[in-house]
Amino acid sequence: MKRNTKNIGLGVEPLAAASAPEVTDLNPNHLYAIIDIETTGGQPAQDKITEIAIFIHDGQQIVDKYSTLVNPQRPIPYFISQLTGITDEMVQDAPKFYEVAKEIVEFTEGKVFVAHNVRFDYSFIKKEFADLGFTFQRKTLCTVRLSRKLIPGLPSYSLGKLCKSIEIPLLQRHRAIGDAEATAKLFDKLIKINRPVVDGNMHMAAETSQALKQEIKTSLLPPNISKEQVDALPMVPGVYYFYNEQGEVIYVGKSINIKKRVIQHFNIDYKSRKSLDFKNNIADISYELMGNELVALLFESAEIKRMKPQYNRQQRRSVFNTGIFVYEDSNGYKRMTFGSVNKADDKSMTPLVALSNHYKAKGFLFHKVAKYNLCQKLCDLYKTNGACFDYQVHQCQGACIGKESPEEYNQRVEQAIDSFTYEHNSFVILGKGREPGEKSVVVVEHGIYLGFGFIDETFSASSLSDFREVITRYNDNKDIQQIIRGHMRSKHKDRVIVFE
């Protein structure tokens, strides 16, 4: 076959003759399986494949292809049929995945698994094989990442817009056969960029070959993140930030090993369309060293509440208007109740714990009533002049009508309070710092978290006020209290200084 010896026009300037590219040959046995699939939805855990197409490329040209509809054994949602054109009637007599699994194995075995946003297609196929009891594992290559590397500066790297930018015909869009063929042609163009001719034969430019090898190793990284960025991350405790291309923080996380945790983010199998969008939106990474897990957890929680990043679902709530309080009534019974944290009567000056609203507070108290066999009436959950409802069904021991003594009832109230308050009223936690000779300081005063900071070996303190001077102040809330209580109950090695 006669081959085109001209540089392929992809908006990339050919190298000058004086600096002709170094040449290299691909391993002739190194084949590529370019794959696209259509599915019933975006979540591998619950959705199924409806079509698969595979184009085999030998490093020089497309040499084989395979495609088939697949019966997903479940209805195809209407909006998916509208997008792909694949209907329930079309797949009714198509083979089921287990009937084409052997062919997929044979077509991809010993080859690099190539796809546009490879994590999507690879995760679905892995899940289909896992459902059959088999492990599907291949080297992968993402043409989004490879395109960004070899054709920088394009307005978009989505398959449709990318193909339009570099004049690749894209027929049968959102059908596996059409998208896979376009991806195969894209791959063919990418590996032939600036391809020199030596002794009448075409070779791959060393620059392109190196990019190809590098992307096979790092194909599961987000398209905008380089191996060098990940390699530069420290393997110590801290808080890390993911940014989008506009420089906005889209996720905040913490770890005792920043680099390891970030890599785990990128290596986790794709679970949903949202997780793929999250990964593809990551354009930069930064971090703050914290020295130990406790302060990393505390700082992460504060940063999430401050920034409210798009992809942090937990701990985003920053307003805690309702408190859980305790007081002793005229009959000597300790009573838990709830109300506004700003309410200034005798029983609610200092909340034991702050929650986001009255609904959450009532749920919290109902849980404590059930777990510690408390009285609904004495927890302001049942309004009555007589016995509470639980007493009538023999679940309350009668504190509401004076049948149970205050001493007996109050013991269980104390157990309930101990489950969500600190063992000590005022204390300082001294932990490992960010560097040798440094310590972290976490301060809790009268049951309220004040904040954390760092001290060096020259610091000396004789009172709690000395520690207050060296911390940065942060807000106290239910999430923070859970973090500190969990740490105090763990087998930590920090020094705890108690102030009575």
Side-chain angles (χ1 to χ4, degrees), residues 103-245:
E103 291 174 288
I104 294 172
V105 168
E106 291 173 346
F107 261 83
T108 62
E109 193 166 19
K111 303 176 182 69
V112 179
F113 187 113
V114 182
H116 208 70
N117 273 324
V118 70
R119 177 58 85 180
F120 179 88
D121 306 81
Y122 188 58
S123 292
F124 262 95
I125 292 177
K126 280 184 68 175
K127 181 61 169 61
E128 291 276 12
F129 275 100
D131 289 344
L132 299 177
F134 295 96
T135 300
F136 181 86
Q137 192 166 3
R138 302 286 186 267
K139 291 181 178 179
T140 58
L141 174 66
C142 181
T143 50
V144 177
R145 285 185 57 85
L146 189 62
S147 298
R148 286 182 179 273
K149 188 74 171 284
L150 296 176
I151 322 173
L154 294 182
S156 172
Y157 291 86
S158 67
L159 185 61
K161 292 180 180 179
L162 179 56
C163 287
K164 184 176 181 180
S165 294
I166 59 177
E167 300 179 346
I168 292 176
L170 180 49
L171 308 175
Q172 294 183 279
R173 183 72 171 112
H174 297 303
R175 286 295 301 271
I177 186 67
D179 289 351
E181 183 175 20
T183 305
K185 291 179 178 178
L186 168 63
F187 177 76
D188 186 74
K189 281 197 171 189
L190 290 171
I191 66 172
K192 293 174 181 175
I193 288 177
N194 293 326
R195 189 174 59 167
V197 179
V198 178
D199 298 330
N201 296 314
M202 288 189 178
H203 296 256
M204 180 180 289
E207 177 186 1
T208 304
S209 176
Q210 183 61 34
L212 194 64
K213 292 175 183 177
Q214 183 71 14
E215 292 307 320
I216 290 173
K217 293 179 181 178
T218 62
S219 64
L220 300 183
L221 295 181
N224 288 311
I225 297 297
S226 69
K227 182 176 182 294
E228 289 72 24
Q229 284 175 286
V230 176
D231 288 343
L233 295 173
M235 301 177 71
V236 294
V239 169
Y240 56 90
Y241 304 81
F242 290 154
Y243 301 81
N244 61 17
E245 288 186 291

Side-chain angles (χ1 to χ4, degrees), residues 461-477:
S462 58
S463 65
L464 185 61
S465 62
D466 293 327
F467 288 104
R468 286 201 301 263
E469 296 297 319
V470 298
I471 62 171
T472 299
R473 296 289 182 127
Y474 291 97
N475 293 330
D476 187 32
N477 54 64

Side-chain angles (χ1 to χ4, degrees), residues 17-83:
S19 57
E22 184 182 342
V23 300
T24 184
D25 285 312
L26 280 181
N27 183 337
N29 297 319
H30 209 173
L31 302 179
Y32 303 84
I34 296 100
I35 298 172
D36 190 82
I37 60 172
E38 300 302 330
T39 67
T40 60
Q43 301 188 56
Q46 64 186 48
D47 291 306
K48 307 292 284 184
I49 292 173
T50 58
E51 186 179 31
I52 183 169
I54 306 173
F55 282 73
I56 305 302
H57 198 289
D58 67 355
Q60 295 293 332
Q61 61 186 345
I62 296 169
V63 295
D64 202 357
K65 64 180 180 180
Y66 167 84
S67 68
T68 182
L69 289 168
V70 179
N71 185 341
Q73 300 179 272
R74 67 186 58 188
I76 301 173
Y78 174 76
F79 74 94
I80 295 291
S81 291
Q82 290 293 104
L83 177 68

